[in-house]
Amino acid sequence: MVYLSRKLRFSAMHSYRIQHWTEEKNQQVFGLCSNPNGHGHDYQLEVMVKGDWKDRTGIVVNTTDIKQVVGSIVEEELDGKFLNKENIYFREKIPTTENLLIFLWNKINRVLQDCELHRLRLHENSTLYSEKGEGDMVSLTRKYHFSAAHRLHSDKLTDSENKQLFGKCNNVYGHGHNYYLEVSVQGIPDPVTGMVTDIAVLDEIVESVVLKKFDHKHLNLDTTEFDGLNPTSEVMTQVIYQMLSPYISNLSKIGLWETENNYFEYVAPTGGEAHV
Ligand SMILES: [Zn+2]
Ligand SMILES: [Zn+2]
C-alpha cells in the first residue's frame, strides 16, 4: 500500500454560536469566535489517500486529479464563503475545524476514484490543526512555544562517553532552543459545540502545567521533572505527556520541535499509562 497527499488552500468565514443560547453563554463558551458577524481563516487542507500503484503507469492516482475533485468541492462549498450562512450543512452544525473535517471527509470519500481516503488534516492557522482518519474520532492539535536551556548528560555514561556522544550539547553550562510543543487531543466532536475539547481550557492547562515551568528555564537546573533524567527531546515528550495526562483525559499525542529540523513525538499508550 502506498500513501500520498496533496495540499489545497481556501479561505472561509465562520461564527460559533448556538441560536437558542443567550449572548452571555455564547461568549462564555465560544469567546471571540462567537462574534455574530463572523471572522475568517486561510485554511490549508492536506488530503492523504492510499492505494496500490498501477503496473502501466507507476502511479496510484494522479495528484492533479485529487486537486481537481477535492478542489471543486472546496470551491463550491467553502472557499470565500460565510459558512454559517452559505453552506446548508453549517446552518445546523457549528463550522469548527472538527466539523469541517467531518463534512469534507464525507464529501471527498464519495468522489475519489482509484484510491481510498486515508487521512485529512486541516490547518486553521499556524497554531491549530485538526485531523481525521476512518471512524468517528477527530483529533485537534494546538501548538505552543517555550524557550529553554538544557544540558545533554547521562548519569549512566562516563564523562568522556557523554562528551563523545553528545558533543557540544554536553557543554557543562548547557545550551538552548526555541521549542515548539504540539499537544493533541482526540475524541468525537460534541454534538452541540462541534468541538473535541474546550481550547481555552486546554490553553490554560498547558500554560500552567508546562509552559510556566519550562519557559526561560534551564531544564536540568530549574525544574524537578528531569531529576535523574537526561532532558533529551525524546525524554521531554514523554515527561510532558505525563505532566499533562492527569488534566487532559483525551490527550493523544505530544509533538516537540526542538529546532526547525528536529521533531519528536510521543503517542499515548493504548490501555495503560506510560512510565519513564
Ligand atoms: Zn475561527
Ligand atoms: Zn539541545
Side-chain angles (χ1 to χ4, degrees):
M1 189 75 83
V2 178
Y3 298 79
L4 57 136
S5 71
R6 171 85 203 195
K7 286 181 189 172
L8 292 98
R9 287 173 178 81
F10 63 93
S11 136
M13 272 177 72
H14 61 182
S15 171
Y16 294 178
R17 287 183 79 79
I18 307 281
Q19 287 310 329
H20 62 272
W21 284 4
T22 61
E23 181 60 37
E24 195 188 8
K25 174 122 196 233
N26 271 302
Q27 278 195 25
Q28 186 199 330
V29 174
F30 299 120
L32 286 175
C33 301
S34 67
N35 175 15
N37 295 326
H39 66 281
H41 301 285
D42 290 306
Y43 290 93
Q44 182 187 280
L45 173 67
E46 284 175 52
V47 181
M48 183 175 268
V49 301
K50 60 185 172 187
D52 294 317
W53 54 272
K54 317 289 180 295
D55 217 18
R56 209 161 66 88
T57 60
I59 62 171
V60 176
V61 59
N62 200 332
T63 53
T64 54
D65 289 345
I66 299 176
K67 188 198 166 206
Q68 228 213 311
V69 291
V70 177
S72 64
I73 292 170
V74 165
E75 176 103 352
E76 231 169 81
E77 307 272 0
L78 309 173
D79 194 27
K81 295 195 193 302
F82 189 171
L83 300 175
N84 307 62
K85 293 184 190 292
E86 296 179 89
N87 183 309
I88 285 176
Y89 185 85
F90 296 112
R91 284 190 195 153
E92 302 295 324
K93 299 240 176 209
I94 295 190
T96 57
T97 45
E98 294 94 315
N99 275 344
L100 269 164
L101 268 188
I102 294 171
F103 171 82
L104 280 164
W105 181 279
N106 293 334
K107 290 269 175 187
I108 294 169
N109 206 19
R110 256 180 254 151
V111 295
L112 284 179
Q113 287 177 346
D114 300 327
C115 61
E116 262 181 81
L117 188 53
H118 176 64
R119 194 188 71 200
L120 289 179
R121 182 185 278 194
L122 184 64
H123 292 261
E124 185 181 272
N125 56 42
S126 60
T127 60
L128 185 86
Y129 72 80
S130 206
E131 207 171 53
K132 177 177 162 39
E134 261 180 68
D136 298 332
M137 293 296 223
V138 180
S139 77
L140 184 114
T141 299
R142 190 84 157 138
K143 198 174 191 175
Y144 304 91
H145 171 60
F146 64 93
S147 299
H150 67 169
R151 181 195 185 202
L152 299 187
H153 184 90
S154 169
D155 295 342
K156 298 178 177 71
L157 302 176
T158 64
D159 282 354
S160 68
E161 284 171 333
N162 269 303
K163 200 158 195 160
Q164 200 189 355
L165 180 60
F166 297 119
K168 273 199 296 188
C169 303
N170 184 237
N171 176 30
V172 69
Y173 298 111
H175 65 281
H177 296 289
N178 289 324
Y179 289 98
Y180 285 89
L181 169 67
E182 293 187 358
V183 176
S184 302
V185 294
Q186 74 168 12
I188 297 170
D190 183 281
V192 178
T193 65
M195 296 172 170
V196 294
T197 191
D198 183 329
I199 294 172
V201 172
L202 181 71
D203 288 352
E204 274 172 30
I205 293 171
V206 176
E207 172 68 35
S208 64
V209 176
V210 179
L211 304 182
K212 238 181 174 172
K213 278 193 178 162
F214 291 178
D215 191 27
H216 286 71
K217 296 285 163 49
H218 191 305
L219 299 175
N220 309 60
L221 304 178
D222 298 324
T223 75
T224 52
E225 279 72 20
F226 299 99
D227 284 351
L229 289 172
N230 188 8
T232 61
S233 289
E234 290 91 326
V235 172
M236 284 174 73
T237 56
Q238 194 165 340
V239 164
I240 292 170
Y241 174 82
Q242 289 182 327
M243 290 165 79
L244 289 173
S245 62
Y247 304 97
I248 306 169
S249 58
N250 53 354
L251 182 63
S252 58
K253 199 172 76 183
I254 297 295
L256 188 66
W257 293 90
E258 184 184 69
T259 66
E260 279 180 27
N261 300 325
N262 295 335
Y263 174 74
F264 302 82
E265 193 172 284
Y266 180 81
V267 177
T270 44
E273 279 299 300
H275 297 284
V276 170

